[in-house]
Amino acid sequence: MIPRVLTVAGSDSGGGAGIQADLKTMLALGVHGMSVITAVTAQNSLGVQGAWELPVEAVRAQYRSVVDDIGVRAVKTGMLASVELVEAVAELIGGTDAPAVIDPVGVSKHGDSLLASSALESVRTKLLPVATVATPNLDEVAQLAGVHVESEEQLRQAAAAVLEYGPRWVLIKGGHLPGDAVDLLTDGSAEHWLRAPRHDNRHTHGTGCTLASAIASGLAKGLAVPEAVTAAKEYVTGAIEAGFALGGGIGPVDHGWRFRAGA
């Protein structure tokens, strides 16, 4: 049976991030993607023009509909927006026997807020403890843990701070630092440093969603966390290199880059 992966996230009408990026990534990596939509956004290459949360009952019903009938091999979260949604999704994931990749989405690529400030404590105390892998970027580390990373050496401090909230593994994404794109994956004991050349391409919309979905896809295939993250890093690096212009602002990464490269 094709591995099944469930994304619990917001819809991006521009197709570069959110549910749309997640499902494209899952297709590209050979798993069956399913979705629980938590919010609808009016979004394009220039930013987010509007966002509307779905009721908790609608999110819970979508989740139960998929999990109770089809089943899942991995779950991935993205935009959850509010305290109520964060806590409901954390409860659902906690009752599901599958690894969970938690992308604690706080702001969009354009700087638009996608998480209410009142929900931060629920992310720390409810959502992160059910994570197999948490994947914060440096802005999200600062938002959640108060650690401001300005150098590669500080990635360890950031990882330790996030691990205090209970995820089994944390991947600190250091893409905002100068030089190569360096990420740190650790469970507090083992350390895996992932390096990739930085591509001179501004079209990087959807990078975080794509990476988290790629990790979930690897876990659904039965890979261990370090192998799943390493494979996901390779995939997203190629997607960034092949990112393309769309509209008048920041275009998306290319989820189908391997198809176009003939790989």
Side-chain angles (χ1 to χ4, degrees), residues 38 53-57 59-60 80-92 115-116 118-120 122-123 126-127:
T38 61
E53 298 169 30
L54 266 69
V56 169
E57 313 87 79
V59 171
R60 191 183 299 277
L80 298 181
S82 68
V83 172
E84 294 78 13
L85 286 175
V86 168
E87 295 190 351
V89 170
E91 179 186 353
L92 289 164
L115 179 72
S118 58
L120 286 172
S122 293
V123 172
K126 304 289 187 181
L127 191 61

mmCIF file with all atom_site columns, all heavy atoms in Angstrom, residues 38 53-57 59-60 80-92 115-116 118-120 122-123 126-127:
data_model
loop_
_atom_site.group_PDB
_atom_site.id
_atom_site.type_symbol
_atom_site.label_atom_id
_atom_site.label_alt_id
_atom_site.label_comp_id
_atom_site.label_asym_id
_atom_site.label_entity_id
_atom_site.label_seq_id
_atom_site.pdbx_PDB_ins_code
_atom_site.Cartn_x
_atom_site.Cartn_y
_atom_site.Cartn_z
_atom_site.occupancy
_atom_site.B_iso_or_equiv
_atom_site.pdbx_formal_charge
_atom_site.auth_seq_id
_atom_site.auth_comp_id
_atom_site.auth_asym_id
_atom_site.auth_atom_id
_atom_site.pdbx_PDB_model_num
ATOM 1   N N   . THR A 1 38  ? -7.340  23.919 7.924  1.00 0.00 ? 38  THR A N   1
ATOM 2   C CA  . THR A 1 38  ? -7.596  24.645 9.164  1.00 0.00 ? 38  THR A CA  1
ATOM 3   C C   . THR A 1 38  ? -7.992  26.096 8.923  1.00 0.00 ? 38  THR A C   1
ATOM 4   O O   . THR A 1 38  ? -8.593  26.722 9.791  1.00 0.00 ? 38  THR A O   1
ATOM 5   C CB  . THR A 1 38  ? -6.342  24.641 10.050 1.00 0.00 ? 38  THR A CB  1
ATOM 6   O OG1 . THR A 1 38  ? -5.272  25.293 9.341  1.00 0.00 ? 38  THR A OG1 1
ATOM 7   C CG2 . THR A 1 38  ? -5.931  23.214 10.397 1.00 0.00 ? 38  THR A CG2 1
ATOM 8   N N   . GLU A 1 53  ? -10.204 31.389 9.678  1.00 0.00 ? 53  GLU A N   1
ATOM 9   C CA  . GLU A 1 53  ? -10.099 30.076 10.329 1.00 0.00 ? 53  GLU A CA  1
ATOM 10  C C   . GLU A 1 53  ? -11.363 29.264 10.093 1.00 0.00 ? 53  GLU A C   1
ATOM 11  O O   . GLU A 1 53  ? -12.460 29.817 10.023 1.00 0.00 ? 53  GLU A O   1
ATOM 12  C CB  . GLU A 1 53  ? -9.951  30.248 11.834 1.00 0.00 ? 53  GLU A CB  1
ATOM 13  C CG  . GLU A 1 53  ? -8.731  30.982 12.307 1.00 0.00 ? 53  GLU A CG  1
ATOM 14  C CD  . GLU A 1 53  ? -8.857  31.297 13.791 1.00 0.00 ? 53  GLU A CD  1
ATOM 15  O OE1 . GLU A 1 53  ? -9.511  30.512 14.516 1.00 0.00 ? 53  GLU A OE1 1
ATOM 16  O OE2 . GLU A 1 53  ? -8.333  32.342 14.213 1.00 0.00 ? 53  GLU A OE2 1
ATOM 17  N N   . LEU A 1 54  ? -11.200 27.953 10.025 1.00 0.00 ? 54  LEU A N   1
ATOM 18  C CA  . LEU A 1 54  ? -12.357 27.069 10.033 1.00 0.00 ? 54  LEU A CA  1
ATOM 19  C C   . LEU A 1 54  ? -12.740 26.762 11.477 1.00 0.00 ? 54  LEU A C   1
ATOM 20  O O   . LEU A 1 54  ? -11.896 26.796 12.368 1.00 0.00 ? 54  LEU A O   1
ATOM 21  C CB  . LEU A 1 54  ? -12.042 25.777 9.283  1.00 0.00 ? 54  LEU A CB  1
ATOM 22  C CG  . LEU A 1 54  ? -12.454 25.762 7.803  1.00 0.00 ? 54  LEU A CG  1
ATOM 23  C CD1 . LEU A 1 54  ? -11.573 26.724 7.011  1.00 0.00 ? 54  LEU A CD1 1
ATOM 24  C CD2 . LEU A 1 54  ? -12.379 24.361 7.236  1.00 0.00 ? 54  LEU A CD2 1
ATOM 25  N N   . PRO A 1 55  ? -13.994 26.449 11.719 1.00 0.00 ? 55  PRO A N   1
ATOM 26  C CA  . PRO A 1 55  ? -14.407 26.077 13.082 1.00 0.00 ? 55  PRO A CA  1
ATOM 27  C C   . PRO A 1 55  ? -13.684 24.808 13.542 1.00 0.00 ? 55  PRO A C   1
ATOM 28  O O   . PRO A 1 55  ? -13.370 23.933 12.726 1.00 0.00 ? 55  PRO A O   1
ATOM 29  C CB  . PRO A 1 55  ? -15.912 25.821 12.939 1.00 0.00 ? 55  PRO A CB  1
ATOM 30  C CG  . PRO A 1 55  ? -16.318 26.498 11.676 1.00 0.00 ? 55  PRO A CG  1
ATOM 31  C CD  . PRO A 1 55  ? -15.130 26.461 10.783 1.00 0.00 ? 55  PRO A CD  1
ATOM 32  N N   . VAL A 1 56  ? -13.449 24.723 14.832 1.00 0.00 ? 56  VAL A N   1
ATOM 33  C CA  . VAL A 1 56  ? -12.789 23.542 15.387 1.00 0.00 ? 56  VAL A CA  1
ATOM 34  C C   . VAL A 1 56  ? -13.547 22.270 15.022 1.00 0.00 ? 56  VAL A C   1
ATOM 35  O O   . VAL A 1 56  ? -12.930 21.236 14.716 1.00 0.00 ? 56  VAL A O   1
ATOM 36  C CB  . VAL A 1 56  ? -12.651 23.674 16.921 1.00 0.00 ? 56  VAL A CB  1
ATOM 37  C CG1 . VAL A 1 56  ? -12.208 22.356 17.541 1.00 0.00 ? 56  VAL A CG1 1
ATOM 38  C CG2 . VAL A 1 56  ? -11.649 24.771 17.273 1.00 0.00 ? 56  VAL A CG2 1
ATOM 39  N N   . GLU A 1 57  ? -14.883 22.335 15.013 1.00 0.00 ? 57  GLU A N   1
ATOM 40  C CA  . GLU A 1 57  ? -15.673 21.140 14.694 1.00 0.00 ? 57  GLU A CA  1
ATOM 41  C C   . GLU A 1 57  ? -15.383 20.653 13.283 1.00 0.00 ? 57  GLU A C   1
ATOM 42  O O   . GLU A 1 57  ? -15.372 19.438 13.018 1.00 0.00 ? 57  GLU A O   1
ATOM 43  C CB  . GLU A 1 57  ? -17.174 21.422 14.817 1.00 0.00 ? 57  GLU A CB  1
ATOM 44  C CG  . GLU A 1 57  ? -17.596 22.154 16.078 1.00 0.00 ? 57  GLU A CG  1
ATOM 45  C CD  . GLU A 1 57  ? -17.509 23.670 15.917 1.00 0.00 ? 57  GLU A CD  1
ATOM 46  O OE1 . GLU A 1 57  ? -18.408 24.252 15.306 1.00 0.00 ? 57  GLU A OE1 1
ATOM 47  O OE2 . GLU A 1 57  ? -16.522 24.240 16.413 1.00 0.00 ? 57  GLU A OE2 1
ATOM 48  N N   . VAL A 1 59  ? -12.542 21.098 11.601 1.00 0.00 ? 59  VAL A N   1
ATOM 49  C CA  . VAL A 1 59  ? -11.192 20.533 11.593 1.00 0.00 ? 59  VAL A CA  1
ATOM 50  C C   . VAL A 1 59  ? -11.203 19.143 12.211 1.00 0.00 ? 59  VAL A C   1
ATOM 51  O O   . VAL A 1 59  ? -10.626 18.185 11.663 1.00 0.00 ? 59  VAL A O   1
ATOM 52  C CB  . VAL A 1 59  ? -10.220 21.465 12.341 1.00 0.00 ? 59  VAL A CB  1
ATOM 53  C CG1 . VAL A 1 59  ? -8.866  20.798 12.549 1.00 0.00 ? 59  VAL A CG1 1
ATOM 54  C CG2 . VAL A 1 59  ? -10.063 22.777 11.573 1.00 0.00 ? 59  VAL A CG2 1
ATOM 55  N N   . ARG A 1 60  ? -11.872 19.015 13.336 1.00 0.00 ? 60  ARG A N   1
ATOM 56  C CA  . ARG A 1 60  ? -11.937 17.716 14.006 1.00 0.00 ? 60  ARG A CA  1
ATOM 57  C C   . ARG A 1 60  ? -12.640 16.675 13.118 1.00 0.00 ? 60  ARG A C   1
ATOM 58  O O   . ARG A 1 60  ? -12.202 15.516 13.021 1.00 0.00 ? 60  ARG A O   1
ATOM 59  C CB  . ARG A 1 60  ? -12.678 17.863 15.338 1.00 0.00 ? 60  ARG A CB  1
ATOM 60  C CG  . ARG A 1 60  ? -12.565 16.637 16.246 1.00 0.00 ? 60  ARG A CG  1
ATOM 61  C CD  . ARG A 1 60  ? -13.392 16.839 17.511 1.00 0.00 ? 60  ARG A CD  1
ATOM 62  N NE  . ARG A 1 60  ? -12.923 17.981 18.279 1.00 0.00 ? 60  ARG A NE  1
ATOM 63  C CZ  . ARG A 1 60  ? -11.914 17.949 19.137 1.00 0.00 ? 60  ARG A CZ  1
ATOM 64  N NH1 . ARG A 1 60  ? -11.264 16.817 19.331 1.00 0.00 ? 60  ARG A NH1 1
ATOM 65  N NH2 . ARG A 1 60  ? -11.557 19.030 19.796 1.00 0.00 ? 60  ARG A NH2 1
ATOM 66  N N   . LEU A 1 80  ? -2.027  26.858 12.145 1.00 0.00 ? 80  LEU A N   1
ATOM 67  C CA  . LEU A 1 80  ? -3.117  26.486 13.048 1.00 0.00 ? 80  LEU A CA  1
ATOM 68  C C   . LEU A 1 80  ? -3.835  27.705 13.627 1.00 0.00 ? 80  LEU A C   1
ATOM 69  O O   . LEU A 1 80  ? -4.940  27.580 14.152 1.00 0.00 ? 80  LEU A O   1
ATOM 70  C CB  . LEU A 1 80  ? -2.595  25.579 14.169 1.00 0.00 ? 80  LEU A CB  1
ATOM 71  C CG  . LEU A 1 80  ? -2.015  24.240 13.698 1.00 0.00 ? 80  LEU A CG  1
ATOM 72  C CD1 . LEU A 1 80  ? -1.554  23.395 14.876 1.00 0.00 ? 80  LEU A CD1 1
ATOM 73  C CD2 . LEU A 1 80  ? -3.023  23.462 12.857 1.00 0.00 ? 80  LEU A CD2 1
ATOM 74  N N   . ALA A 1 81  ? -3.218  28.861 13.569 1.00 0.00 ? 81  ALA A N   1
ATOM 75  C CA  . ALA A 1 81  ? -3.858  30.167 13.779 1.00 0.00 ? 81  ALA A CA  1
ATOM 76  C C   . ALA A 1 81  ? -4.268  30.518 15.208 1.00 0.00 ? 81  ALA A C   1
ATOM 77  O O   . ALA A 1 81  ? -3.885  31.560 15.723 1.00 0.00 ? 81  ALA A O   1
ATOM 78  C CB  . ALA A 1 81  ? -5.063  30.348 12.847 1.00 0.00 ? 81  ALA A CB  1
ATOM 79  N N   . SER A 1 82  ? -5.060  29.673 15.872 1.00 0.00 ? 82  SER A N   1
ATOM 80  C CA  . SER A 1 82  ? -5.660  30.087 17.140 1.00 0.00 ? 82  SER A CA  1
ATOM 81  C C   . SER A 1 82  ? -5.401  29.079 18.258 1.00 0.00 ? 82  SER A C   1
ATOM 82  O O   . SER A 1 82  ? -5.009  27.936 18.016 1.00 0.00 ? 82  SER A O   1
ATOM 83  C CB  . SER A 1 82  ? -7.177  30.235 16.968 1.00 0.00 ? 82  SER A CB  1
ATOM 84  O OG  . SER A 1 82  ? -7.774  28.968 16.756 1.00 0.00 ? 82  SER A OG  1
ATOM 85  N N   . VAL A 1 83  ? -5.649  29.517 19.488 1.00 0.00 ? 83  VAL A N   1
ATOM 86  C CA  . VAL A 1 83  ? -5.527  28.634 20.652 1.00 0.00 ? 83  VAL A CA  1
ATOM 87  C C   . VAL A 1 83  ? -6.410  27.399 20.479 1.00 0.00 ? 83  VAL A C   1
ATOM 88  O O   . VAL A 1 83  ? -5.981  26.259 20.713 1.00 0.00 ? 83  VAL A O   1
ATOM 89  C CB  . VAL A 1 83  ? -5.937  29.374 21.941 1.00 0.00 ? 83  VAL A CB  1
ATOM 90  C CG1 . VAL A 1 83  ? -5.995  28.408 23.118 1.00 0.00 ? 83  VAL A CG1 1
ATOM 91  C CG2 . VAL A 1 83  ? -4.982  30.512 22.234 1.00 0.00 ? 83  VAL A CG2 1
ATOM 92  N N   . GLU A 1 84  ? -7.644  27.622 20.061 1.00 0.00 ? 84  GLU A N   1
ATOM 93  C CA  . GLU A 1 84  ? -8.605  26.522 19.949 1.00 0.00 ? 84  GLU A CA  1
ATOM 94  C C   . GLU A 1 84  ? -8.150  25.481 18.934 1.00 0.00 ? 84  GLU A C   1
ATOM 95  O O   . GLU A 1 84  ? -8.250  24.270 19.183 1.00 0.00 ? 84  GLU A O   1
ATOM 96  C CB  . GLU A 1 84  ? -9.985  27.069 19.563 1.00 0.00 ? 84  GLU A CB  1
ATOM 97  C CG  . GLU A 1 84  ? -10.638 27.940 20.617 1.00 0.00 ? 84  GLU A CG  1
ATOM 98  C CD  . GLU A 1 84  ? -10.075 29.363 20.668 1.00 0.00 ? 84  GLU A CD  1
ATOM 99  O OE1 . GLU A 1 84  ? -9.348  29.773 19.729 1.00 0.00 ? 84  GLU A OE1 1
ATOM 100 O OE2 . GLU A 1 84  ? -10.371 30.063 21.667 1.00 0.00 ? 84  GLU A OE2 1
ATOM 101 N N   . LEU A 1 85  ? -7.630  25.945 17.800 1.00 0.00 ? 85  LEU A N   1
ATOM 102 C CA  . LEU A 1 85  ? -7.179  25.007 16.776 1.00 0.00 ? 85  LEU A CA  1
ATOM 103 C C   . LEU A 1 85  ? -5.914  24.284 17.217 1.00 0.00 ? 85  LEU A C   1
ATOM 104 O O   . LEU A 1 85  ? -5.769  23.073 17.005 1.00 0.00 ? 85  LEU A O   1
ATOM 105 C CB  . LEU A 1 85  ? -6.948  25.739 15.449 1.00 0.00 ? 85  LEU A CB  1
ATOM 106 C CG  . LEU A 1 85  ? -8.203  26.153 14.690 1.00 0.00 ? 85  LEU A CG  1
ATOM 107 C CD1 . LEU A 1 85  ? -7.845  26.970 13.451 1.00 0.00 ? 85  LEU A CD1 1
ATOM 108 C CD2 . LEU A 1 85  ? -9.025  24.937 14.281 1.00 0.00 ? 85  LEU A CD2 1
ATOM 109 N N   . VAL A 1 86  ? -4.974  25.004 17.816 1.00 0.00 ? 86  VAL A N   1
ATOM 110 C CA  . VAL A 1 86  ? -3.738  24.374 18.294 1.00 0.00 ? 86  VAL A CA  1
ATOM 111 C C   . VAL A 1 86  ? -4.064  23.256 19.280 1.00 0.00 ? 86  VAL A C   1
ATOM 112 O O   . VAL A 1 86  ? -3.542  22.134 19.171 1.00 0.00 ? 86  VAL A O   1
ATOM 113 C CB  . VAL A 1 86  ? -2.800  25.416 18.948 1.00 0.00 ? 86  VAL A CB  1
ATOM 114 C CG1 . VAL A 1 86  ? -1.664  24.717 19.695 1.00 0.00 ? 86  VAL A CG1 1
ATOM 115 C CG2 . VAL A 1 86  ? -2.238  26.369 17.899 1.00 0.00 ? 86  VAL A CG2 1
ATOM 116 N N   . GLU A 1 87  ? -4.924  23.536 20.240 1.00 0.00 ? 87  GLU A N   1
ATOM 117 C CA  . GLU A 1 87  ? -5.207  22.550 21.275 1.00 0.00 ? 87  GLU A CA  1
ATOM 118 C C   . GLU A 1 87  ? -6.005  21.367 20.739 1.00 0.00 ? 87  GLU A C   1
ATOM 119 O O   . GLU A 1 87  ? -5.762  20.213 21.125 1.00 0.00 ? 87  GLU A O   1
ATOM 120 C CB  . GLU A 1 87  ? -5.926  23.227 22.439 1.00 0.00 ? 87  GLU A CB  1
ATOM 121 C CG  . GLU A 1 87  ? -5.019  24.250 23.128 1.00 0.00 ? 87  GLU A CG  1
ATOM 122 C CD  . GLU A 1 87  ? -5.583  24.790 24.434 1.00 0.00 ? 87  GLU A CD  1
ATOM 123 O OE1 . GLU A 1 87  ? -6.758  24.507 24.737 1.00 0.00 ? 87  GLU A OE1 1
ATOM 124 O OE2 . GLU A 1 87  ? -4.838  25.498 25.143 1.00 0.00 ? 87  GLU A OE2 1
ATOM 125 N N   . ALA A 1 88  ? -6.923  21.625 19.812 1.00 0.00 ? 88  ALA A N   1
ATOM 126 C CA  . ALA A 1 88  ? -7.699  20.531 19.225 1.00 0.00 ? 88  ALA A CA  1
ATOM 127 C C   . ALA A 1 88  ? -6.807  19.616 18.397 1.00 0.00 ? 88  ALA A C   1
ATOM 128 O O   . ALA A 1 88  ? -6.904  18.379 18.487 1.00 0.00 ? 88  ALA A O   1
ATOM 129 C CB  . ALA A 1 88  ? -8.832  21.082 18.366 1.00 0.00 ? 88  ALA A CB  1
ATOM 130 N N   . VAL A 1 89  ? -5.924  20.202 17.596 1.00 0.00 ? 89  VAL A N   1
ATOM 131 C CA  . VAL A 1 89  ? -5.038  19.407 16.746 1.00 0.00 ? 89  VAL A CA  1
ATOM 132 C C   . VAL A 1 89  ? -4.031  18.634 17.593 1.00 0.00 ? 89  VAL A C   1
ATOM 133 O O   . VAL A 1 89  ? -3.723  17.470 17.312 1.00 0.00 ? 89  VAL A O   1
ATOM 134 C CB  . VAL A 1 89  ? -4.342  20.305 15.696 1.00 0.00 ? 89  VAL A CB  1
ATOM 135 C CG1 . VAL A 1 89  ? -3.243  19.540 14.967 1.00 0.00 ? 89  VAL A CG1 1
ATOM 136 C CG2 . VAL A 1 89  ? -5.374  20.835 14.704 1.00 0.00 ? 89  VAL A CG2 1
ATOM 137 N N   . ALA A 1 90  ? -3.515  19.258 18.640 1.00 0.00 ? 90  ALA A N   1
ATOM 138 C CA  . ALA A 1 90  ? -2.590  18.564 19.537 1.00 0.00 ? 90  ALA A CA  1
ATOM 139 C C   . ALA A 1 90  ? -3.262  17.343 20.156 1.00 0.00 ? 90  ALA A C   1
ATOM 140 O O   . ALA A 1 90  ? -2.664  16.260 20.249 1.00 0.00 ? 90  ALA A O   1
ATOM 141 C CB  . ALA A 1 90  ? -2.103  19.507 20.632 1.00 0.00 ? 90  ALA A CB  1
ATOM 142 N N   . GLU A 1 91  ? -4.516  17.486 20.565 1.00 0.00 ? 91  GLU A N   1
ATOM 143 C CA  . GLU A 1 91  ? -5.259  16.364 21.145 1.00 0.00 ? 91  GLU A CA  1
ATOM 144 C C   . GLU A 1 91  ? -5.455  15.246 20.123 1.00 0.00 ? 91  GLU A C   1
ATOM 145 O O   . GLU A 1 91  ? -5.283  14.063 20.429 1.00 0.00 ? 91  GLU A O   1
ATOM 146 C CB  . GLU A 1 91  ? -6.612  16.854 21.656 1.00 0.00 ? 91  GLU A CB  1
ATOM 147 C CG  . GLU A 1 91  ? -7.465  15.754 22.268 1.00 0.00 ? 91  GLU A CG  1
ATOM 148 C CD  . GLU A 1 91  ? -8.863  16.243 22.646 1.00 0.00 ? 91  GLU A CD  1
ATOM 149 O OE1 . GLU A 1 91  ? -9.121  17.463 22.551 1.00 0.00 ? 91  GLU A OE1 1
ATOM 150 O OE2 . GLU A 1 91  ? -9.694  15.401 23.010 1.00 0.00 ? 91  GLU A OE2 1
ATOM 151 N N   . LEU A 1 92  ? -5.801  15.619 18.896 1.00 0.00 ? 92  LEU A N   1
ATOM 152 C CA  . LEU A 1 92  ? -6.018  14.629 17.841 1.00 0.00 ? 92  LEU A CA  1
ATOM 153 C C   . LEU A 1 92  ? -4.732  13.863 17.532 1.00 0.00 ? 92  LEU A C   1
ATOM 154 O O   . LEU A 1 92  ? -4.733  12.632 17.416 1.00 0.00 ? 92  LEU A O   1
ATOM 155 C CB  . LEU A 1 92  ? -6.548  15.317 16.584 1.00 0.00 ? 92  LEU A CB  1
ATOM 156 C CG  . LEU A 1 92  ? -7.981  15.841 16.666 1.00 0.00 ? 92  LEU A CG  1
ATOM 157 C CD1 . LEU A 1 92  ? -8.264  16.825 15.543 1.00 0.00 ? 92  LEU A CD1 1
ATOM 158 C CD2 . LEU A 1 92  ? -8.980  14.679 16.630 1.00 0.00 ? 92  LEU A CD2 1
ATOM 159 N N   . LEU A 1 115 ? -0.298  33.161 13.201 1.00 0.00 ? 115 LEU A N   1
ATOM 160 C CA  . LEU A 1 115 ? -0.582  32.548 14.496 1.00 0.00 ? 115 LEU A CA  1
ATOM 161 C C   . LEU A 1 115 ? -0.857  33.646 15.509 1.00 0.00 ? 115 LEU A C   1
ATOM 162 O O   . LEU A 1 115 ? -0.049  34.569 15.678 1.00 0.00 ? 115 LEU A O   1
ATOM 163 C CB  . LEU A 1 115 ? 0.619   31.706 14.953 1.00 0.00 ? 115 LEU A CB  1
ATOM 164 C CG  . LEU A 1 115 ? 0.486   31.021 16.317 1.00 0.00 ? 115 LEU A CG  1
ATOM 165 C CD1 . LEU A 1 115 ? -0.511  29.868 16.229 1.00 0.00 ? 115 LEU A CD1 1
ATOM 166 C CD2 . LEU A 1 115 ? 1.842   30.497 16.795 1.00 0.00 ? 115 LEU A CD2 1
ATOM 167 N N   . ALA A 1 116 ? -1.997  33.559 16.172 1.00 0.00 ? 116 ALA A N   1
ATOM 168 C CA  . ALA A 1 116 ? -2.327  34.545 17.204 1.00 0.00 ? 116 ALA A CA  1
ATOM 169 C C   . ALA A 1 116 ? -1.308  34.476 18.330 1.00 0.00 ? 116 ALA A C   1
ATOM 170 O O   . ALA A 1 116 ? -0.882  33.386 18.731 1.00 0.00 ? 116 ALA A O   1
ATOM 171 C CB  . ALA A 1 116 ? -3.727  34.277 17.741 1.00 0.00 ? 116 ALA A CB  1
ATOM 172 N N   . SER A 1 118 ? -1.756  34.865 21.328 1.00 0.00 ? 118 SER A N   1
ATOM 173 C CA  . SER A 1 118 ? -2.349  34.160 22.458 1.00 0.00 ? 118 SER A CA  1
ATOM 174 C C   . SER A 1 118 ? -2.185  32.642 22.343 1.00 0.00 ? 118 SER A C   1
ATOM 175 O O   . SER A 1 118 ? -2.367  31.908 23.327 1.00 0.00 ? 118 SER A O   1
ATOM 176 C CB  . SER A 1 118 ? -3.842  34.500 22.564 1.00 0.00 ? 118 SER A CB  1
ATOM 177 O OG  . SER A 1 118 ? -4.525  34.159 21.365 1.00 0.00 ? 118 SER A OG  1
ATOM 178 N N   . ALA A 1 119 ? -1.832  32.152 21.135 1.00 0.00 ? 119 ALA A N   1
ATOM 179 C CA  . ALA A 1 119 ? -1.707  30.706 20.921 1.00 0.00 ? 119 ALA A CA  1
ATOM 180 C C   . ALA A 1 119 ? -0.303  30.192 21.184 1.00 0.00 ? 119 ALA A C   1
ATOM 181 O O   . ALA A 1 119 ? -0.082  28.977 21.189 1.00 0.00 ? 119 ALA A O   1
ATOM 182 C CB  . ALA A 1 119 ? -2.117  30.356 19.492 1.00 0.00 ? 119 ALA A CB  1
ATOM 183 N N   . LEU A 1 120 ? 0.655   31.072 21.413 1.00 0.00 ? 120 LEU A N   1
ATOM 184 C CA  . LEU A 1 120 ? 2.043   30.646 21.581 1.00 0.00 ? 120 LEU A CA  1
ATOM 185 C C   . LEU A 1 120 ? 2.211   29.676 22.745 1.00 0.00 ? 120 LEU A C   1
ATOM 186 O O   . LEU A 1 120 ? 2.927   28.673 22.639 1.00 0.00 ? 120 LEU A O   1
ATOM 187 C CB  . LEU A 1 120 ? 2.954   31.858 21.776 1.00 0.00 ? 120 LEU A CB  1
ATOM 188 C CG  . LEU A 1 120 ? 3.246   32.693 20.530 1.00 0.00 ? 120 LEU A CG  1
ATOM 189 C CD1 . LEU A 1 120 ? 3.999   33.961 20.905 1.00 0.00 ? 120 LEU A CD1 1
ATOM 190 C CD2 . LEU A 1 120 ? 4.040   31.883 19.522 1.00 0.00 ? 120 LEU A CD2 1
ATOM 191 N N   . SER A 1 122 ? 0.040   27.640 23.974 1.00 0.00 ? 122 SER A N   1
ATOM 192 C CA  . SER A 1 122 ? -0.539  26.347 23.626 1.00 0.00 ? 122 SER A CA  1
ATOM 193 C C   . SER A 1 122 ? 0.378   25.566 22.691 1.00 0.00 ? 122 SER A C   1
ATOM 194 O O   . SER A 1 122 ? 0.448   24.333 22.767 1.00 0.00 ? 122 SER A O   1
ATOM 195 C CB  . SER A 1 122 ? -1.912  26.543 22.980 1.00 0.00 ? 122 SER A CB  1
ATOM 196 O OG  . SER A 1 122 ? -2.832  27.049 23.927 1.00 0.00 ? 122 SER A OG  1
ATOM 197 N N   . VAL A 1 123 ? 1.066   26.267 21.797 1.00 0.00 ? 123 VAL A N   1
ATOM 198 C CA  . VAL A 1 123 ? 2.050   25.587 20.944 1.00 0.00 ? 123 VAL A CA  1
ATOM 199 C C   . VAL A 1 123 ? 3.144   24.980 21.815 1.00 0.00 ? 123 VAL A C   1
ATOM 200 O O   . VAL A 1 123 ? 3.544   23.824 21.620 1.00 0.00 ? 123 VAL A O   1
ATOM 201 C CB  . VAL A 1 123 ? 2.658   26.565 19.913 1.00 0.00 ? 123 VAL A CB  1
ATOM 202 C CG1 . VAL A 1 123 ? 3.819   25.902 19.157 1.00 0.00 ? 123 VAL A CG1 1
ATOM 203 C CG2 . VAL A 1 123 ? 1.595   27.038 18.923 1.00 0.00 ? 123 VAL A CG2 1
ATOM 204 N N   . LYS A 1 126 ? 1.176   22.231 24.458 1.00 0.00 ? 126 LYS A N   1
ATOM 205 C CA  . LYS A 1 126 ? 0.270   21.207 23.938 1.00 0.00 ? 126 LYS A CA  1
ATOM 206 C C   . LYS A 1 126 ? 0.780   20.575 22.643 1.00 0.00 ? 126 LYS A C   1
ATOM 207 O O   . LYS A 1 126 ? 0.733   19.346 22.488 1.00 0.00 ? 126 LYS A O   1
ATOM 208 C CB  . LYS A 1 126 ? -1.124  21.820 23.674 1.00 0.00 ? 126 LYS A CB  1
ATOM 209 C CG  . LYS A 1 126 ? -1.772  22.490 24.875 1.00 0.00 ? 126 LYS A CG  1
ATOM 210 C CD  . LYS A 1 126 ? -2.211  21.489 25.922 1.00 0.00 ? 126 LYS A CD  1
ATOM 211 C CE  . LYS A 1 126 ? -3.013  22.199 27.024 1.00 0.00 ? 126 LYS A CE  1
ATOM 212 N NZ  . LYS A 1 126 ? -3.450  21.258 28.074 1.00 0.00 ? 126 LYS A NZ  1
ATOM 213 N N   . LEU A 1 127 ? 1.250   21.416 21.716 1.00 0.00 ? 127 LEU A N   1
ATOM 214 C CA  . LEU A 1 127 ? 1.584   20.914 20.379 1.00 0.00 ? 127 LEU A CA  1
ATOM 215 C C   . LEU A 1 127 ? 2.997   20.336 20.301 1.00 0.00 ? 127 LEU A C   1
ATOM 216 O O   . LEU A 1 127 ? 3.186   19.222 19.800 1.00 0.00 ? 127 LEU A O   1
ATOM 217 C CB  . LEU A 1 127 ? 1.404   22.038 19.356 1.00 0.00 ? 127 LEU A CB  1
ATOM 218 C CG  . LEU A 1 127 ? 1.459   21.627 17.887 1.00 0.00 ? 127 LEU A CG  1
ATOM 219 C CD1 . LEU A 1 127 ? 0.345   20.638 17.556 1.00 0.00 ? 127 LEU A CD1 1
ATOM 220 C CD2 . LEU A 1 127 ? 1.343   22.860 16.983 1.00 0.00 ? 127 LEU A CD2 1
#
